[in-house]
Amino acid sequence: MNSQRIACFLLILVTLATDVSAGPDQRRLLEDLFSDYNKHERPVYSESEPVAVEFQVSLRSILNVDEANQQLQTQLWLNYAWKDYKFRWEPLSYGNITDIRYPAASLWLPDITMYNSIASSEIGSKPDVFIASEGSVSLVQPGIFTSSCETDLRWFPFDTQACKLTFGSWTLDGSKVDLKVKNGVSMGSLDGYQPNQEWHLLNFSVVRNTVYYECCPDTPYIDLDYTLKISRLQLFYVINIIIPSIFIALLTLVTFIIPVQSGEKLSFGSTVLLILAIFWLLLINVTPSTSASVPMLTIFLGFISIVNVLSLTCAAIVVRLHHSSALMPRVVSNLTGGDDCCFWLLPLTQYLVY
């Protein structure tokens, strides 16, 4: 028992001694690294050299897709990596320290910005920068971004949307910052992605572009286009919109086959029209309100409304003629064949009976 207590006591002493010795080494390392450091200076040997910045977007979740305002809200992790020749040291000279963390606000950072951003907010406090002994610097910055996204609702609710997230340096051209995709991949990172309940992620690709603007045709500007391709999950809309629409369309056709003698032809057509009006009100709350494109579902319901109004009008005319004691006008009799006006409907009637 005593031997165990002595061993634990010696282990604590060794740990404390290691911590005490590591503190001065790290302090001395920081003093040597930042004694002559200027965060406004690009980390290159020569001013003619660009800073090679590797960039990667990690998609964490799709928070909202606002089709009416054409906006996309996502949670992203932005990964930066570059080399700084001033941040190199020999670990053996500093107590085997191979890496350090340092506040990002005190270092030179590439001014990478989302070009089509509407609003953005950082998650938590400003992250620290990871610095390794060979001079590599890396930063992971989480945030919530709202970007513009041109949507097409023509095939709602079976639509597929492609939203772009464009990143690039805001003030430095390609001769100052050489923006590259991290590890040269053609896809964004989906590590830790949380699926959305309304949208299914199809693809998250990236393309590197070199753009020349009219203001400076000889100066290249580099940007990275991340394309977020998503498709809507249709189960909710199929059950609550598509199937009821088909039933309403069938009820509209039933109006034509109800006999006049039943006395319910007009009341049934009016009831179907009332159901369709209520369904329109419910559909307005579900369908995104935009005039850029008219969904096919809206056109389908509009066609059903026209058919329903025509069927109700025809039913009113048929009921009026059925209860009228006047003879059929001669013009109508000649056009329809007089007493044999329904002779051409006999085959259709037999088909419906069988």
Side-chain angles (χ1 to χ4, degrees):
M1 190 68 179
N2 293 331
S3 60
Q4 293 180 355
R5 291 181 178 178
I6 294 174
C8 292
F9 180 72
L10 292 176
L11 180 61
I12 293 174
L13 289 180
V14 171
T15 304
L16 292 176
T18 303
D19 293 339
V20 171
S21 63
D25 290 334
Q26 185 173 359
R27 187 181 305 111
R28 183 164 51 88
L29 174 61
L30 294 176
E31 291 176 355
D32 293 343
L33 292 178
F34 295 96
S35 60
D36 191 25
Y37 181 79
N38 187 352
K39 68 176 184 179
H40 303 290
E41 177 185 354
R42 288 190 307 117
V44 289
Y45 284 108
S46 175
E47 291 298 328
S48 60
E49 298 179 3
V51 181
V53 178
E54 292 188 344
F55 182 77
Q56 186 184 48
V57 176
S58 177
L59 179 63
R60 306 295 294 180
S61 62
I62 300 173
L63 301 180
N64 185 34
V65 180
D66 189 352
E67 298 96 334
N69 298 317
Q70 296 193 349
Q71 295 180 3
L72 170 69
Q73 188 178 41
T74 53
Q75 180 184 356
L76 307 175
W77 285 9
L78 307 183
N79 300 269
Y80 307 83
W82 67 94
K83 293 281 188 177
D84 194 329
Y85 71 96
K86 292 185 177 181
F87 295 152
R88 293 179 181 176
W89 70 88
E90 181 60 41
L92 295 177
S93 302
Y94 296 94
N96 289 327
I97 297 177
T98 58
D99 55 74
I100 59 174
R101 276 76 174 170
Y102 205 77
S106 302
L107 298 180
W108 179 90
L109 300 176
D111 58 339
I112 307 301
T113 308
M114 181 187 291
Y115 287 168
N116 59 333
S117 174
I118 298 176
S120 62
S121 60
E122 296 182 358
I123 300 177
S125 58
K126 192 72 174 179
D128 290 342
V129 174
F130 179 86
I131 305 175
S133 59
E134 68 275 8
S136 61
V137 184
S138 59
L139 170 66
V140 179
Q141 182 179 358
I144 296 176
F145 296 84
T146 302
S147 57
S148 59
C149 176
E150 185 176 355
T151 57
D152 184 8
L153 299 176
R154 186 177 309 171
W155 299 105
F156 173 87
F158 303 98
D159 54 329
T160 299
Q161 308 296 340
C163 301
K164 284 189 176 183
L165 309 175
T166 305
F167 294 88
S169 178
W170 188 251
T171 60
L172 301 177
D173 55 64
S175 62
K176 301 295 189 297
V177 172
D178 186 12
L179 187 60
K180 301 178 180 179
V181 181
K182 191 175 183 180
N183 299 326
V185 297
S186 60
M187 301 290 295
S189 175
L190 296 177
D191 295 337
Y193 172 72
Q194 299 178 357
N196 188 272
Q197 297 297 322
E198 186 179 358
W199 296 91
H200 173 63
L201 179 62
L202 299 177
N203 195 6
F204 188 43
S205 59
V206 58
V207 177
R208 184 178 184 268
N209 303 314
T210 302
V211 184
Y212 294 88
Y213 296 99
E214 295 181 0
C215 64
C216 30
D218 298 330
T219 304
Y221 285 87
I222 302 174
D223 61 59
L224 301 180
D225 273 342
Y226 284 84
T227 302
L228 189 68
K229 191 173 183 180
I230 53 179
S231 64
R232 194 188 304 269
L233 299 177
Q234 305 96 1
L235 181 60
F236 172 82
Y237 299 96
V238 168
I239 295 177
N240 296 281
I241 296 181
I242 304 298
I243 295 179
S245 300
I246 296 175
F247 287 161
I248 293 175
L250 294 177
L251 290 177
T252 301
L253 299 178
V254 170
T255 308
F256 291 99
I257 63 176
I258 295 179
V260 181
Q261 294 81 1
S262 65
E264 299 294 334
K265 197 176 187 68
L266 284 177
S267 60
F268 182 82
S270 302
T271 303
V272 174
L273 184 60
L274 180 61
I275 294 174
L276 185 60
I278 297 175
F279 188 74
W280 265 107
L281 295 177
L282 297 177
L283 184 64
I284 291 176
N285 297 326
V286 179
T287 308
S289 55
T290 176
S291 299
S293 58
V294 181
M296 296 298 295
L297 179 60
T298 304
I299 298 176
F300 174 70
L301 290 179
F303 176 75
I304 294 177
S305 302
I306 295 175
V307 173
N308 185 269
V309 172
L310 291 177
S311 67
L312 193 59
T313 303
C314 293
I317 296 174
V318 170
V319 172
R320 175 69 179 85
L321 294 176
H322 177 74
H323 294 285
S324 177
S325 59
L327 296 176
M328 183 181 297
R330 183 177 299 274
V331 177
V332 178
S333 178
N334 294 332
L335 291 175
T336 58
D339 296 335
D340 298 330
C341 63
C342 296
F343 178 77
W344 62 277
L345 291 176
L346 289 178
L348 179 60
T349 305
Q350 295 174 1
Y351 176 76
L352 292 176
V353 170
Y354 290 105

